[in-house]
Amino acid sequence: MSRSLHELSAVALAQQYRAGTLSPVEATQAVLDRIAKCEDKVNAMYFVTADDALETAKAAEARYRAGEPLGPMDGVPITVKDIIASAGHPTPSGTSAADLDKLETDDAPPTARVKEAGCVIVGKTTMPDLGMLSSGVSSLHGTTRNPWDLSRNTGGSSSGAGAALAAGYGPLALGTDIGGSVRLPAAACGVFAHKPSLGRIPIYPPYWGRTTGPMTRTVTDSMLLMSALTKPDARDYMCLPPADDDYAGAAPMPLKGLKIGLVRNIGIGLEPTDEMLGALDGAARAMEAAGAIVEPVDPFLTRSMLDGLDLLFRSRALGDLEKRGPEKAAKVLPFIAEWAQGAKGRTAVELAEAVNQIMAMRDAAVSTTEPYDFLLLPTSPIPAYDADEPCPGSDPAKPFEHITYTAAFNQSEQPAASLNWTYTSGGLPLGIQIVGHRFDDLGVLRLMLSLEEMRPEQRPLPEL
């Protein structure tokens, strides 16, 4: 079955570019046309840079004609999340409390790397206020909707990135992840995302637990992105030493003899639905059939750990809002404002204990993984929830009940990736997650290559 241009992977586009059967200009125009057709329904884009994108595509076209492409992603369309700085544009982090007249003078490291690779940036994608929701609801951007069902949420905070991929706005996207923010929208929107080990992909400004992650529709495309994004950048003082990992040339991982820890219940938060557990168990059976040893893992997270993470993030958000002043802070999403106020009056001793609980979460994640080669667990315990909800149940006292399967691995700095496995009876995606040992990004991606080949047949992109 032939695919429309906007559905093609980065690898497929580059093959056609090299063969001379397709130009970057044609592919970019097809993506821009798709955005024009679908954006009123999806609302995944903060803004679209059509003229700049076409100019970049023309330059790539000329390089291919001269036989001098910059590399395997030259001329491939990509979107970049609001919070990842791009020179000449504002970085409002999804909130109306931002100063939209303040323009960036420099590209953040991930933006710089994809430009150097020749990628065609078609625009910036939406996110919720301050990146502090796994939701597509924003005071600045409005509601981003899930292309699989427009009444459903995209997850977040890389909400626009996930929706853009599922809607056909190009094969590549850059998101960020501090508690699940590339993996959760990938699961909700039926695409792939990799959260790297902390420091594997340089970012600026760096922050505890925060990473940039590739989001794509195929694992191979994310591995192409990793080849560019992992190049060092001195601005990130948490950046890991350069590695010799060949992401683009890596082969799928044989499963025979691998020891896999199966996490059906992590210990806190929402319980996985029966359909989610069915998808998870299906992946486990497929791994066993390929020769892996799959063993159940006991719950390892506690309420105190999650509450500690909640208080740290509330305190961070409250400080951010107070620095903006009351007039601007009044423009933030009311849910976020109410949630942040939960840190008001808390003591330094309480915050120190919250940090201790986060360290306990880190220890639990690392020690649970230690006996195994990888962990297998849900990405989200539930499929996509209602589009207009900031979190399932819309309760500011319990905003993180649906991110418990992802958040611990930001604190532990471990690589983790989400791959769609199958669908609910209503047609919503169900993502599974693989977690590896710290620094083993290549191993996680190679295992995901194998799982991508083993999973049930996938559905075509939503028609919209």
Side-chain angles (χ1 to χ4, degrees):
M1 183 178 67
S2 63
R3 292 186 173 183
S4 301
L5 292 185
H6 67 265
E7 296 178 286
L8 295 180
S9 69
V11 170
L13 288 174
Q15 287 173 343
Q16 293 201 40
Y17 294 165
R18 289 192 297 270
T21 57
L22 177 67
S23 87
V25 175
E26 291 174 300
T28 299
Q29 188 61 61
V31 168
L32 293 171
D33 290 346
R34 180 67 175 178
I35 293 172
K37 176 184 176 183
C38 302
E39 184 58 2
D40 283 348
K41 300 174 185 176
V42 178
N43 188 36
M45 303 299 296
Y46 171 26
F47 56 79
V48 178
T49 52
D51 292 342
D52 288 347
L54 288 170
E55 286 301 312
T56 303
K58 288 176 184 176
E61 181 182 62
R63 290 191 290 270
Y64 277 102
R65 286 177 175 171
E68 299 176 345
L70 295 176
M73 294 187 295
D74 199 2
V76 176
I78 190 171
T79 64
V80 178
K81 186 178 177 179
D82 163 346
I83 201 173
I84 304 173
S86 57
H89 299 129
T91 307
S93 300
T95 182
S96 294
D99 180 1
L100 298 180
D101 294 327
K102 182 180 179 181
L103 307 183
E104 300 288 349
T105 57
D106 298 298
D107 291 323
T111 313
R113 298 295 89 78
V114 297
K115 284 184 177 179
E116 292 163 4
C119 291
V120 177
I121 298 175
V122 297
K124 302 291 288 285
T125 51
T126 61
M127 61 180 288
D129 290 56
L130 310 180
M132 285 291 100
L133 289 174
S134 179
S135 171
V137 180
S138 161
S139 64
L140 177 64
H141 303 310
T143 299
T144 301
R145 297 181 177 276
N146 193 321
W148 292 95
D149 181 340
L150 296 173
S151 72
R152 297 288 182 151
N153 211 292
T154 55
S157 64
S158 303
S159 47
L165 288 167
Y169 295 3
L172 306 176
L174 294 183
T176 63
D177 192 313
I178 199 170
S181 291
V182 299
R183 290 160 289 160
L184 290 163
C189 297
V191 297
F192 179 77
H194 178 64
K195 182 208 75 69
S197 303
L198 185 69
R200 177 67 70 209
I201 295 176
I203 59 171
Y204 189 81
Y207 187 82
W208 180 3
R210 178 174 173 258
T211 66
T212 291
M215 300 178 66
T216 58
R217 291 191 291 264
T218 71
V219 180
T220 301
D221 280 359
S222 275
M223 296 175 88
L224 280 180
L225 267 174
M226 286 290 287
S227 297
L229 295 173
T230 53
K231 294 177 180 177
D233 194 296
R235 289 174 287 175
D236 186 350
Y237 50 78
M238 295 184 182
C239 181
L240 296 174
D244 294 328
D245 294 334
D246 180 12
Y247 292 100
M253 178 177 287
L255 274 77
K256 186 174 182 179
L258 284 184
K259 194 172 181 182
I260 307 295
L262 175 63
V263 183
R264 299 177 92 248
N265 180 356
I266 206 163
I268 50 173
L270 297 179
E271 293 186 5
T273 64
D274 288 343
E275 287 184 307
M276 182 63 251
L277 290 176
L280 186 71
D281 291 342
R285 288 192 297 271
M287 296 176 83
E288 285 182 315
I293 303 162
V294 180
E295 297 180 355
V297 172
D298 292 334
F300 59 92
L301 298 185
T302 67
R303 174 58 54 184
S304 296
M305 295 173 187
L306 187 63
D307 288 347
L309 187 67
D310 186 16
L311 179 55
L312 176 69
F313 283 162
R314 285 178 194 257
S315 302
R316 180 174 181 242
L318 182 63
D320 183 298
L321 295 180
E322 290 186 345
K323 281 191 292 186
R324 294 175 190 265
E327 184 176 342
K328 287 186 177 178
K331 297 179 180 180
V332 77
L333 191 74
F335 181 95
I336 289 291
E338 184 177 350
W339 168 72
Q341 286 299 314
K344 198 83 170 179
R346 305 298 287 271
T347 68
V349 171
E350 288 177 295
L351 185 57
E353 178 55 25
V355 173
N356 289 339
Q357 288 298 326
I358 294 169
M359 294 302 99
M361 175 183 281
R362 176 189 178 106
D363 179 60
V366 170
S367 60
T368 298
T369 310
E370 195 280 330
Y372 303 100
D373 295 302
F374 301 93
L375 299 182
L376 168 66
L377 64 166
T379 308
S380 169
I382 60 172
Y385 56 96
D386 289 347
D388 294 320
E389 285 193 294
C391 67
S394 300
D395 183 358
K398 294 182 177 181
F400 293 163
E401 300 301 301
H402 62 310
I403 73 168
T404 53
Y405 286 83
T406 53
F409 305 110
N410 294 81
Q411 311 315 310
S412 65
E413 306 182 19
Q414 293 171 256
S418 178
L419 175 74
N420 191 65
W421 187 258
T422 186
Y423 307 85
T424 69
S425 58
L428 295 174
L430 291 169
I432 60 166
Q433 185 178 195
I434 290 292
V435 174
H437 293 277
R438 192 177 178 216
F439 310 136
D440 190 20
D441 295 84
L442 184 59
V444 168
L445 289 163
R446 290 185 62 213
L447 179 54
M448 280 300 199
L449 277 176
S450 297
L451 291 174
E452 185 177 45
E453 295 177 353
M454 296 159 52
R455 65 182 172 173
E457 182 177 358
Q458 299 294 290
R459 299 181 181 186
L461 294 183
E463 287 292 335
L464 289 169

